[in-house]
Amino acid sequence: EIVLVTGVQTCALPISLYINEISPDGKLRALGSYRNLTLYDNNSGAELCRLKVILGLVKAIGFSQDNKMLALVLNREVMLCDTKSGAELCRLKGISDLVKAMVFSQDNRMLALLLDTEVMLYDTNSGAELCRLKGISDLVKAIGFSQDNKMLALLLDRSEEHTSELQSPVLS
């Protein structure tokens, strides 16, 4: 048994956790054991919702900037879920390689996935692929959006940085 101590109360959690992720603003916590992924209020410890997934297939998770969506990286796809209800919103398909990193745009309309040799950009509302940046070096360690969501920064090993302007009518 693992005990979660928050500013308000203490709650007991399952011992076999595979996932333990906190939202960017610190308000939500996602905890996963073998078959359940549960979202909690990180301050009170109150359970908000449960997602029924087989966590052995979940490779990573990430919260949107506004905490309204949760992205779950599965084997060859990413599932977007609503954090209030736990309902599946859409699946991002066509992922050909291991997802090394992911990031939501500042407005949560896009999700960028860093693979070994490319970056894939998806519309989070429809699940449609917007574009691919191919020929990315395996030296890329992280990705991030600019504040206006028109640029995607790639952090290379040895602290070299490269930016790519996103060319898509969806971004206008």
Side-chain angles (χ1 to χ4, degrees), residues 118-168:
E118 63 187 354
V119 174
M120 299 177 74
L121 192 65
Y122 287 90
D123 179 299
T124 58
N125 192 36
S126 67
E129 183 180 323
L130 299 174
C131 68
R132 286 183 191 223
L133 304 172
K134 294 189 175 209
I136 302 297
S137 165
D138 62 353
L139 296 176
V140 176
K141 300 301 178 197
I143 53 178
F145 283 93
S146 62
Q147 290 295 324
D148 65 3
N149 300 311
K150 293 184 179 179
M151 300 283 283
L152 188 64
L154 310 176
L155 179 64
L156 304 176
D157 198 11
R158 299 186 199 104
S159 299
E160 298 173 33
E161 190 175 311
H162 174 73
T163 59
S164 294
E165 187 154 359
L166 300 173
Q167 304 290 329
S168 172

mmCIF file of all heavy atoms in Angstrom, residues 118-168:
data_model
loop_
_atom_site.group_PDB
_atom_site.id
_atom_site.type_symbol
_atom_site.label_atom_id
_atom_site.label_comp_id
_atom_site.label_asym_id
_atom_site.label_seq_id
_atom_site.Cartn_x
_atom_site.Cartn_y
_atom_site.Cartn_z
ATOM 1 N N GLU A 118 11.272 11.198 -36.859
ATOM 2 C CA GLU A 118 10.301 12.184 -37.325
ATOM 3 C C GLU A 118 9.477 12.723 -36.165
ATOM 4 O O GLU A 118 9.430 12.135 -35.094
ATOM 5 C CB GLU A 118 9.388 11.610 -38.406
ATOM 6 C CG GLU A 118 8.523 10.456 -37.964
ATOM 7 C CD GLU A 118 7.769 9.812 -39.125
ATOM 8 O OE1 GLU A 118 7.817 10.299 -40.259
ATOM 9 O OE2 GLU A 118 7.105 8.801 -38.875
ATOM 10 N N VAL A 119 8.827 13.858 -36.438
ATOM 11 C CA VAL A 119 7.863 14.440 -35.514
ATOM 12 C C VAL A 119 6.522 14.422 -36.224
ATOM 13 O O VAL A 119 6.417 14.839 -37.378
ATOM 14 C CB VAL A 119 8.237 15.884 -35.115
ATOM 15 C CG1 VAL A 119 7.138 16.510 -34.275
ATOM 16 C CG2 VAL A 119 9.557 15.908 -34.348
ATOM 17 N N MET A 120 5.507 13.920 -35.542
ATOM 18 C CA MET A 120 4.156 13.876 -36.111
ATOM 19 C C MET A 120 3.288 14.859 -35.348
ATOM 20 O O MET A 120 3.363 14.945 -34.125
ATOM 21 C CB MET A 120 3.586 12.467 -36.004
ATOM 22 C CG MET A 120 4.413 11.435 -36.752
ATOM 23 S SD MET A 120 3.780 9.759 -36.566
ATOM 24 C CE MET A 120 2.346 9.835 -37.624
ATOM 25 N N LEU A 121 2.460 15.593 -36.093
ATOM 26 C CA LEU A 121 1.596 16.602 -35.508
ATOM 27 C C LEU A 121 0.143 16.236 -35.789
ATOM 28 O O LEU A 121 -0.216 15.966 -36.934
ATOM 29 C CB LEU A 121 1.932 17.963 -36.119
ATOM 30 C CG LEU A 121 1.349 19.174 -35.438
ATOM 31 C CD1 LEU A 121 1.911 19.330 -34.036
ATOM 32 C CD2 LEU A 121 1.669 20.417 -36.249
ATOM 33 N N TYR A 122 -0.681 16.204 -34.738
ATOM 34 C CA TYR A 122 -2.075 15.790 -34.847
ATOM 35 C C TYR A 122 -3.013 16.880 -34.350
ATOM 36 O O TYR A 122 -2.682 17.633 -33.435
ATOM 37 C CB TYR A 122 -2.335 14.531 -34.006
ATOM 38 C CG TYR A 122 -1.740 13.281 -34.585
ATOM 39 C CD1 TYR A 122 -0.454 12.877 -34.258
ATOM 40 C CD2 TYR A 122 -2.474 12.490 -35.454
ATOM 41 C CE1 TYR A 122 0.084 11.713 -34.783
ATOM 42 C CE2 TYR A 122 -1.946 11.323 -35.988
ATOM 43 C CZ TYR A 122 -0.668 10.945 -35.647
ATOM 44 O OH TYR A 122 -0.133 9.803 -36.162
ATOM 45 N N ASP A 123 -4.213 16.901 -34.927
ATOM 46 C CA ASP A 123 -5.311 17.731 -34.454
ATOM 47 C C ASP A 123 -5.984 16.951 -33.319
ATOM 48 O O ASP A 123 -6.417 15.812 -33.516
ATOM 49 C CB ASP A 123 -6.304 17.970 -35.600
ATOM 50 C CG ASP A 123 -7.487 18.809 -35.192
ATOM 51 O OD1 ASP A 123 -8.235 18.393 -34.287
ATOM 52 O OD2 ASP A 123 -7.675 19.877 -35.798
ATOM 53 N N THR A 124 -6.068 17.537 -32.131
ATOM 54 C CA THR A 124 -6.616 16.813 -30.984
ATOM 55 C C THR A 124 -8.142 16.714 -31.012
ATOM 56 O O THR A 124 -8.714 15.885 -30.311
ATOM 57 C CB THR A 124 -6.187 17.456 -29.651
ATOM 58 O OG1 THR A 124 -6.614 18.816 -29.634
ATOM 59 C CG2 THR A 124 -4.690 17.360 -29.462
ATOM 60 N N ASN A 125 -8.791 17.539 -31.813
ATOM 61 C CA ASN A 125 -10.247 17.479 -31.898
ATOM 62 C C ASN A 125 -10.702 16.323 -32.796
ATOM 63 O O ASN A 125 -11.571 15.544 -32.432
ATOM 64 C CB ASN A 125 -10.800 18.807 -32.414
ATOM 65 C CG ASN A 125 -12.298 18.896 -32.249
ATOM 66 O OD1 ASN A 125 -12.851 18.402 -31.283
ATOM 67 N ND2 ASN A 125 -12.952 19.525 -33.195
ATOM 68 N N SER A 126 -10.077 16.194 -33.957
ATOM 69 C CA SER A 126 -10.497 15.179 -34.929
ATOM 70 C C SER A 126 -9.620 13.929 -34.923
ATOM 71 O O SER A 126 -10.023 12.885 -35.418
ATOM 72 C CB SER A 126 -10.479 15.776 -36.337
ATOM 73 O OG SER A 126 -9.145 16.063 -36.717
ATOM 74 N N GLY A 127 -8.408 14.046 -34.416
ATOM 75 C CA GLY A 127 -7.456 12.937 -34.479
ATOM 76 C C GLY A 127 -6.704 12.873 -35.794
ATOM 77 O O GLY A 127 -5.896 11.977 -36.014
ATOM 78 N N ALA A 128 -6.945 13.843 -36.681
ATOM 79 C CA ALA A 128 -6.309 13.843 -38.002
ATOM 80 C C ALA A 128 -4.833 14.231 -37.896
ATOM 81 O O ALA A 128 -4.460 15.105 -37.114
ATOM 82 C CB ALA A 128 -7.034 14.816 -38.929
ATOM 83 N N GLU A 129 -4.029 13.560 -38.710
ATOM 84 C CA GLU A 129 -2.619 13.927 -38.816
ATOM 85 C C GLU A 129 -2.522 15.224 -39.613
ATOM 86 O O GLU A 129 -3.062 15.333 -40.707
ATOM 87 C CB GLU A 129 -1.834 12.816 -39.507
ATOM 88 C CG GLU A 129 -0.358 13.102 -39.593
ATOM 89 C CD GLU A 129 0.422 11.990 -40.295
ATOM 90 O OE1 GLU A 129 0.087 10.800 -40.102
ATOM 91 O OE2 GLU A 129 1.352 12.332 -41.029
ATOM 92 N N LEU A 130 -1.817 16.208 -39.062
ATOM 93 C CA LEU A 130 -1.665 17.505 -39.727
ATOM 94 C C LEU A 130 -0.410 17.552 -40.586
ATOM 95 O O LEU A 130 -0.443 18.071 -41.695
ATOM 96 C CB LEU A 130 -1.630 18.635 -38.695
ATOM 97 C CG LEU A 130 -2.882 18.769 -37.823
ATOM 98 C CD1 LEU A 130 -2.666 19.813 -36.741
ATOM 99 C CD2 LEU A 130 -4.079 19.111 -38.693
ATOM 100 N N CYS A 131 0.703 17.065 -40.063
ATOM 101 C CA CYS A 131 1.940 17.045 -40.839
ATOM 102 C C CYS A 131 2.973 16.163 -40.147
ATOM 103 O O CYS A 131 2.812 15.770 -38.998
ATOM 104 C CB CYS A 131 2.486 18.453 -41.051
ATOM 105 S SG CYS A 131 3.085 19.272 -39.571
ATOM 106 N N ARG A 132 4.040 15.869 -40.921
ATOM 107 C CA ARG A 132 5.185 15.121 -40.402
ATOM 108 C C ARG A 132 6.448 15.893 -40.732
ATOM 109 O O ARG A 132 6.617 16.371 -41.853
ATOM 110 C CB ARG A 132 5.302 13.751 -41.074
ATOM 111 C CG ARG A 132 4.293 12.759 -40.641
ATOM 112 C CD ARG A 132 4.538 11.416 -41.310
ATOM 113 N NE ARG A 132 3.390 10.552 -41.082
ATOM 114 C CZ ARG A 132 3.488 9.287 -40.758
ATOM 115 N NH1 ARG A 132 4.660 8.717 -40.677
ATOM 116 N NH2 ARG A 132 2.401 8.580 -40.551
ATOM 117 N N LEU A 133 7.319 15.990 -39.759
ATOM 118 C CA LEU A 133 8.658 16.527 -39.993
ATOM 119 C C LEU A 133 9.572 15.316 -40.064
ATOM 120 O O LEU A 133 9.820 14.655 -39.062
ATOM 121 C CB LEU A 133 9.077 17.463 -38.855
ATOM 122 C CG LEU A 133 8.146 18.636 -38.562
ATOM 123 C CD1 LEU A 133 8.592 19.362 -37.297
ATOM 124 C CD2 LEU A 133 8.129 19.585 -39.742
ATOM 125 N N LYS A 134 10.054 15.004 -41.281
ATOM 126 C CA LYS A 134 10.869 13.803 -41.480
ATOM 127 C C LYS A 134 12.349 14.148 -41.431
ATOM 128 O O LYS A 134 12.738 15.291 -41.543
ATOM 129 C CB LYS A 134 10.520 13.161 -42.816
ATOM 130 C CG LYS A 134 9.114 12.614 -42.840
ATOM 131 C CD LYS A 134 8.851 11.793 -44.068
ATOM 132 C CE LYS A 134 7.476 11.180 -43.939
ATOM 133 N NZ LYS A 134 7.356 9.944 -44.619
ATOM 134 N N GLY A 135 13.152 13.114 -41.286
ATOM 135 C CA GLY A 135 14.597 13.289 -41.280
ATOM 136 C C GLY A 135 15.126 13.886 -39.991
ATOM 137 O O GLY A 135 16.195 14.459 -39.957
ATOM 138 N N ILE A 136 14.371 13.733 -38.924
ATOM 139 C CA ILE A 136 14.787 14.252 -37.625
ATOM 140 C C ILE A 136 15.903 13.357 -37.092
ATOM 141 O O ILE A 136 15.818 12.136 -37.150
ATOM 142 C CB ILE A 136 13.600 14.263 -36.639
ATOM 143 C CG1 ILE A 136 12.454 15.107 -37.175
ATOM 144 C CG2 ILE A 136 14.019 14.730 -35.263
ATOM 145 C CD1 ILE A 136 12.762 16.550 -37.365
ATOM 146 N N SER A 137 16.920 13.970 -36.574
ATOM 147 C CA SER A 137 18.045 13.227 -36.018
ATOM 148 C C SER A 137 17.646 12.544 -34.717
ATOM 149 O O SER A 137 16.790 13.030 -33.980
ATOM 150 C CB SER A 137 19.197 14.194 -35.752
ATOM 151 O OG SER A 137 20.156 13.602 -34.915
ATOM 152 N N ASP A 138 18.292 11.423 -34.444
ATOM 153 C CA ASP A 138 18.029 10.755 -33.171
ATOM 154 C C ASP A 138 18.643 11.519 -32.003
ATOM 155 O O ASP A 138 18.533 11.125 -30.857
ATOM 156 C CB ASP A 138 18.510 9.306 -33.196
ATOM 157 C CG ASP A 138 20.004 9.180 -33.405
ATOM 158 O OD1 ASP A 138 20.666 10.193 -33.655
ATOM 159 O OD2 ASP A 138 20.493 8.050 -33.318
ATOM 160 N N LEU A 139 19.310 12.641 -32.296
ATOM 161 C CA LEU A 139 19.851 13.484 -31.245
ATOM 162 C C LEU A 139 18.781 14.379 -30.617
ATOM 163 O O LEU A 139 19.038 15.048 -29.628
ATOM 164 C CB LEU A 139 20.984 14.364 -31.790
ATOM 165 C CG LEU A 139 22.227 13.622 -32.293
ATOM 166 C CD1 LEU A 139 23.223 14.609 -32.883
ATOM 167 C CD2 LEU A 139 22.863 12.830 -31.174
ATOM 168 N N VAL A 140 17.577 14.415 -31.199
ATOM 169 C CA VAL A 140 16.501 15.234 -30.641
ATOM 170 C C VAL A 140 16.046 14.608 -29.323
ATOM 171 O O VAL A 140 15.709 13.437 -29.261
ATOM 172 C CB VAL A 140 15.315 15.357 -31.624
ATOM 173 C CG1 VAL A 140 14.171 16.129 -30.973
ATOM 174 C CG2 VAL A 140 15.748 16.032 -32.905
ATOM 175 N N LYS A 141 16.061 15.396 -28.266
ATOM 176 C CA LYS A 141 15.727 14.903 -26.929
ATOM 177 C C LYS A 141 14.387 15.413 -26.418
ATOM 178 O O LYS A 141 13.787 14.799 -25.549
ATOM 179 C CB LYS A 141 16.823 15.298 -25.929
ATOM 180 C CG LYS A 141 18.185 14.748 -26.287
ATOM 181 C CD LYS A 141 18.159 13.236 -26.357
ATOM 182 C CE LYS A 141 19.500 12.686 -26.768
ATOM 183 N NZ LYS A 141 19.461 11.338 -27.227
ATOM 184 N N ALA A 142 13.910 16.558 -26.936
ATOM 185 C CA ALA A 142 12.647 17.124 -26.451
ATOM 186 C C ALA A 142 12.061 18.027 -27.530
ATOM 187 O O ALA A 142 12.770 18.482 -28.431
ATOM 188 C CB ALA A 142 12.879 17.920 -25.173
ATOM 189 N N ILE A 143 10.753 18.266 -27.416
ATOM 190 C CA ILE A 143 10.052 19.145 -28.342
ATOM 191 C C ILE A 143 9.156 20.075 -27.545
ATOM 192 O O ILE A 143 8.772 19.764 -26.418
ATOM 193 C CB ILE A 143 9.212 18.346 -29.366
ATOM 194 C CG1 ILE A 143 8.276 17.354 -28.658
ATOM 195 C CG2 ILE A 143 10.083 17.635 -30.362
ATOM 196 C CD1 ILE A 143 7.368 16.560 -29.580
ATOM 197 N N GLY A 144 8.837 21.233 -28.133
ATOM 198 C CA GLY A 144 7.950 22.173 -27.467
ATOM 199 C C GLY A 144 7.389 23.185 -28.445
ATOM 200 O O GLY A 144 8.036 23.497 -29.451
ATOM 201 N N PHE A 145 6.205 23.684 -28.167
ATOM 202 C CA PHE A 145 5.556 24.683 -29.008
ATOM 203 C C PHE A 145 5.904 26.088 -28.527
ATOM 204 O O PHE A 145 6.082 26.312 -27.330
ATOM 205 C CB PHE A 145 4.030 24.533 -28.938
ATOM 206 C CG PHE A 145 3.482 23.401 -29.744
ATOM 207 C CD1 PHE A 145 3.269 22.159 -29.175
ATOM 208 C CD2 PHE A 145 3.167 23.579 -31.082
ATOM 209 C CE1 PHE A 145 2.749 21.117 -29.920
ATOM 210 C CE2 PHE A 145 2.649 22.542 -31.839
ATOM 211 C CZ PHE A 145 2.440 21.310 -31.255
ATOM 212 N N SER A 146 5.901 27.026 -29.471
ATOM 213 C CA SER A 146 6.013 28.436 -29.109
ATOM 214 C C SER A 146 4.680 28.879 -28.503
ATOM 215 O O SER A 146 3.674 28.184 -28.620
ATOM 216 C CB SER A 146 6.342 29.275 -30.345
ATOM 217 O OG SER A 146 5.296 29.167 -31.301
ATOM 218 N N GLN A 147 4.666 30.051 -27.879
ATOM 219 C CA GLN A 147 3.439 30.551 -27.249
ATOM 220 C C GLN A 147 2.309 30.742 -28.247
ATOM 221 O O GLN A 147 1.146 30.562 -27.911
ATOM 222 C CB GLN A 147 3.721 31.869 -26.519
ATOM 223 C CG GLN A 147 4.567 31.715 -25.279
ATOM 224 C CD GLN A 147 3.876 30.909 -24.188
ATOM 225 O OE1 GLN A 147 2.674 30.994 -23.995
ATOM 226 N NE2 GLN A 147 4.644 30.095 -23.481
ATOM 227 N N ASP A 148 2.636 31.109 -29.518
ATOM 228 C CA ASP A 148 1.599 31.321 -30.531
ATOM 229 C C ASP A 148 1.271 30.055 -31.325
ATOM 230 O O ASP A 148 0.480 30.091 -32.261
ATOM 231 C CB ASP A 148 1.978 32.465 -31.471
ATOM 232 C CG ASP A 148 3.214 32.160 -32.307
ATOM 233 O OD1 ASP A 148 3.772 31.037 -32.211
ATOM 234 O OD2 ASP A 148 3.637 33.051 -33.059
ATOM 235 N N ASN A 149 1.898 28.940 -30.975
ATOM 236 C CA ASN A 149 1.659 27.623 -31.589
ATOM 237 C C ASN A 149 2.074 27.534 -33.052
ATOM 238 O O ASN A 149 1.691 26.603 -33.744
ATOM 239 C CB ASN A 149 0.181 27.217 -31.460
ATOM 240 C CG ASN A 149 -0.264 27.138 -30.039
ATOM 241 O OD1 ASN A 149 0.392 26.517 -29.216
ATOM 242 N ND2 ASN A 149 -1.362 27.791 -29.726
ATOM 243 N N LYS A 150 2.868 28.477 -33.540
ATOM 244 C CA LYS A 150 3.282 28.457 -34.944
ATOM 245 C C LYS A 150 4.691 27.897 -35.134
ATOM 246 O O LYS A 150 5.096 27.650 -36.262
ATOM 247 C CB LYS A 150 3.194 29.860 -35.534
ATOM 248 C CG LYS A 150 1.757 30.338 -35.620
ATOM 249 C CD LYS A 150 1.643 31.665 -36.288
ATOM 250 C CE LYS A 150 0.179 32.070 -36.370
ATOM 251 N NZ LYS A 150 0.009 33.356 -36.990
ATOM 252 N N MET A 151 5.400 27.698 -34.057
ATOM 253 C CA MET A 151 6.755 27.156 -34.136
ATOM 254 C C MET A 151 6.851 25.949 -33.202
ATOM 255 O O MET A 151 6.228 25.916 -32.146
ATOM 256 C CB MET A 151 7.785 28.200 -33.703
ATOM 257 C CG MET A 151 7.793 29.458 -34.541
ATOM 258 S SD MET A 151 8.596 29.225 -36.117
ATOM 259 C CE MET A 151 10.289 29.246 -35.666
ATOM 260 N N LEU A 152 7.654 24.982 -33.651
ATOM 261 C CA LEU A 152 7.929 23.809 -32.837
ATOM 262 C C LEU A 152 9.435 23.767 -32.631
ATOM 263 O O LEU A 152 10.196 23.764 -33.599
ATOM 264 C CB LEU A 152 7.450 22.542 -33.569
ATOM 265 C CG LEU A 152 7.494 21.246 -32.789
ATOM 266 C CD1 LEU A 152 6.546 21.301 -31.594
ATOM 267 C CD2 LEU A 152 7.124 20.080 -33.681
ATOM 268 N N ALA A 153 9.870 23.799 -31.389
ATOM 269 C CA ALA A 153 11.293 23.765 -31.069
ATOM 270 C C ALA A 153 11.727 22.323 -30.828
ATOM 271 O O ALA A 153 11.008 21.556 -30.194
ATOM 272 C CB ALA A 153 11.585 24.613 -29.834
ATOM 273 N N LEU A 154 12.882 21.976 -31.350
ATOM 274 C CA LEU A 154 13.471 20.658 -31.150
ATOM 275 C C LEU A 154 14.764 20.845 -30.380
ATOM 276 O O LEU A 154 15.659 21.563 -30.828
ATOM 277 C CB LEU A 154 13.767 19.987 -32.494
ATOM 278 C CG LEU A 154 12.633 19.947 -33.518
ATOM 279 C CD1 LEU A 154 13.125 19.342 -34.821
ATOM 280 C CD2 LEU A 154 11.451 19.186 -32.981
ATOM 281 N N LEU A 155 14.871 20.227 -29.229
ATOM 282 C CA LEU A 155 16.080 20.315 -28.421
ATOM 283 C C LEU A 155 16.985 19.148 -28.785
ATOM 284 O O LEU A 155 16.612 17.987 -28.609
ATOM 285 C CB LEU A 155 15.740 20.282 -26.931
ATOM 286 C CG LEU A 155 16.931 20.337 -25.977
ATOM 287 C CD1 LEU A 155 17.666 21.666 -26.117
ATOM 288 C CD2 LEU A 155 16.477 20.119 -24.554
ATOM 289 N N LEU A 156 18.164 19.478 -29.317
ATOM 290 C CA LEU A 156 19.114 18.453 -29.719
ATOM 291 C C LEU A 156 20.080 18.152 -28.589
ATOM 292 O O LEU A 156 20.291 18.969 -27.694
ATOM 293 C CB LEU A 156 19.901 18.918 -30.952
ATOM 294 C CG LEU A 156 19.067 19.312 -32.167
ATOM 295 C CD1 LEU A 156 19.968 19.855 -33.269
ATOM 296 C CD2 LEU A 156 18.260 18.144 -32.672
ATOM 297 N N ASP A 157 20.688 16.988 -28.645
ATOM 298 C CA ASP A 157 21.738 16.642 -27.697
ATOM 299 C C ASP A 157 22.849 17.676 -27.820
ATOM 300 O O ASP A 157 23.034 18.286 -28.863
ATOM 301 C CB ASP A 157 22.269 15.244 -28.026
ATOM 302 C CG ASP A 157 23.021 14.630 -26.865
ATOM 303 O OD1 ASP A 157 22.963 15.182 -25.753
ATOM 304 O OD2 ASP A 157 23.644 13.578 -27.073
ATOM 305 N N ARG A 158 23.598 17.885 -26.764
ATOM 306 C CA ARG A 158 24.645 18.910 -26.699
ATOM 307 C C ARG A 158 24.065 20.319 -26.729
ATOM 308 O O ARG A 158 24.693 21.256 -27.188
ATOM 309 C CB ARG A 158 25.667 18.733 -27.818
ATOM 310 C CG ARG A 158 26.378 17.405 -27.767
ATOM 311 C CD ARG A 158 27.481 17.357 -28.808
ATOM 312 N NE ARG A 158 27.826 15.989 -29.033
ATOM 313 C CZ ARG A 158 27.470 15.282 -30.091
ATOM 314 N NH1 ARG A 158 26.775 15.826 -31.051
ATOM 315 N NH2 ARG A 158 27.824 14.032 -30.209
ATOM 316 N N SER A 159 22.793 20.449 -26.311
ATOM 317 C CA SER A 159 22.106 21.735 -26.161
ATOM 318 C C SER A 159 21.996 22.540 -27.445
ATOM 319 O O SER A 159 21.847 23.756 -27.407
ATOM 320 C CB SER A 159 22.777 22.569 -25.077
ATOM 321 O OG SER A 159 22.706 21.894 -23.848
ATOM 322 N N GLU A 160 22.081 21.895 -28.615
ATOM 323 C CA GLU A 160 21.824 22.594 -29.862
ATOM 324 C C GLU A 160 20.318 22.682 -30.026
ATOM 325 O O GLU A 160 19.596 21.768 -29.685
ATOM 326 C CB GLU A 160 22.419 21.819 -31.041
ATOM 327 C CG GLU A 160 23.928 21.680 -30.956
ATOM 328 C CD GLU A 160 24.459 20.770 -32.044
ATOM 329 O OE1 GLU A 160 23.886 20.758 -33.139
ATOM 330 O OE2 GLU A 160 25.434 20.085 -31.766
ATOM 331 N N GLU A 161 19.826 23.801 -30.540
ATOM 332 C CA GLU A 161 18.393 23.966 -30.694
ATOM 333 C C GLU A 161 18.071 24.297 -32.135
ATOM 334 O O GLU A 161 18.789 25.013 -32.803
ATOM 335 C CB GLU A 161 17.890 25.085 -29.779
ATOM 336 C CG GLU A 161 16.388 25.148 -29.709
ATOM 337 C CD GLU A 161 15.915 26.182 -28.721
ATOM 338 O OE1 GLU A 161 16.407 26.192 -27.582
ATOM 339 O OE2 GLU A 161 15.061 26.974 -29.119
ATOM 340 N N HIS A 162 16.978 23.737 -32.617
ATOM 341 C CA HIS A 162 16.512 23.966 -33.981
ATOM 342 C C HIS A 162 15.025 24.246 -33.908
ATOM 343 O O HIS A 162 14.321 23.627 -33.129
ATOM 344 C CB HIS A 162 16.771 22.703 -34.820
ATOM 345 C CG HIS A 162 16.211 22.758 -36.194
ATOM 346 N ND1 HIS A 162 16.765 23.527 -37.173
ATOM 347 C CD2 HIS A 162 15.140 22.149 -36.733
ATOM 348 C CE1 HIS A 162 16.058 23.375 -38.285
ATOM 349 N NE2 HIS A 162 15.056 22.544 -38.038
ATOM 350 N N THR A 163 14.531 25.200 -34.701
ATOM 351 C CA THR A 163 13.097 25.445 -34.728
ATOM 352 C C THR A 163 12.570 25.220 -36.124
ATOM 353 O O THR A 163 13.253 25.464 -37.111
ATOM 354 C CB THR A 163 12.748 26.886 -34.284
ATOM 355 O OG1 THR A 163 13.403 27.804 -35.153
ATOM 356 C CG2 THR A 163 13.155 27.134 -32.851
ATOM 357 N N SER A 164 11.353 24.750 -36.203
ATOM 358 C CA SER A 164 10.685 24.525 -37.478
ATOM 359 C C SER A 164 9.372 25.280 -37.469
ATOM 360 O O SER A 164 8.592 25.143 -36.521
ATOM 361 C CB SER A 164 10.390 23.038 -37.694
ATOM 362 O OG SER A 164 11.578 22.315 -37.818
ATOM 363 N N GLU A 165 9.135 26.114 -38.493
ATOM 364 C CA GLU A 165 7.857 26.800 -38.585
ATOM 365 C C GLU A 165 6.823 25.827 -39.102
ATOM 366 O O GLU A 165 7.065 25.095 -40.051
ATOM 367 C CB GLU A 165 7.952 28.016 -39.500
ATOM 368 C CG GLU A 165 6.699 28.824 -39.477
ATOM 369 C CD GLU A 165 6.905 30.279 -39.826
ATOM 370 O OE1 GLU A 165 8.040 30.687 -40.073
ATOM 371 O OE2 GLU A 165 5.908 30.996 -39.862
ATOM 372 N N LEU A 166 5.676 25.804 -38.475
ATOM 373 C CA LEU A 166 4.632 24.877 -38.847
ATOM 374 C C LEU A 166 3.815 25.493 -39.975
ATOM 375 O O LEU A 166 3.273 26.570 -39.855
ATOM 376 C CB LEU A 166 3.733 24.580 -37.646
ATOM 377 C CG LEU A 166 4.462 23.956 -36.461
ATOM 378 C CD1 LEU A 166 3.529 23.856 -35.283
ATOM 379 C CD2 LEU A 166 5.025 22.604 -36.823
ATOM 380 N N GLN A 167 3.770 24.801 -41.113
ATOM 381 C CA GLN A 167 3.054 25.260 -42.291
ATOM 382 C C GLN A 167 1.789 24.449 -42.465
ATOM 383 O O GLN A 167 1.842 23.352 -42.983
ATOM 384 C CB GLN A 167 3.932 25.106 -43.551
ATOM 385 C CG GLN A 167 5.264 25.815 -43.467
ATOM 386 C CD GLN A 167 5.122 27.311 -43.517
ATOM 387 O OE1 GLN A 167 4.209 27.821 -44.148
ATOM 388 N NE2 GLN A 167 6.011 28.013 -42.849
ATOM 389 N N SER A 168 0.674 24.960 -42.001
ATOM 390 C CA SER A 168 -0.591 24.244 -42.140
ATOM 391 C C SER A 168 -1.728 25.224 -42.002
ATOM 392 O O SER A 168 -1.698 26.086 -41.138
ATOM 393 C CB SER A 168 -0.678 23.169 -41.045
ATOM 394 O OG SER A 168 -1.967 22.597 -41.061
#
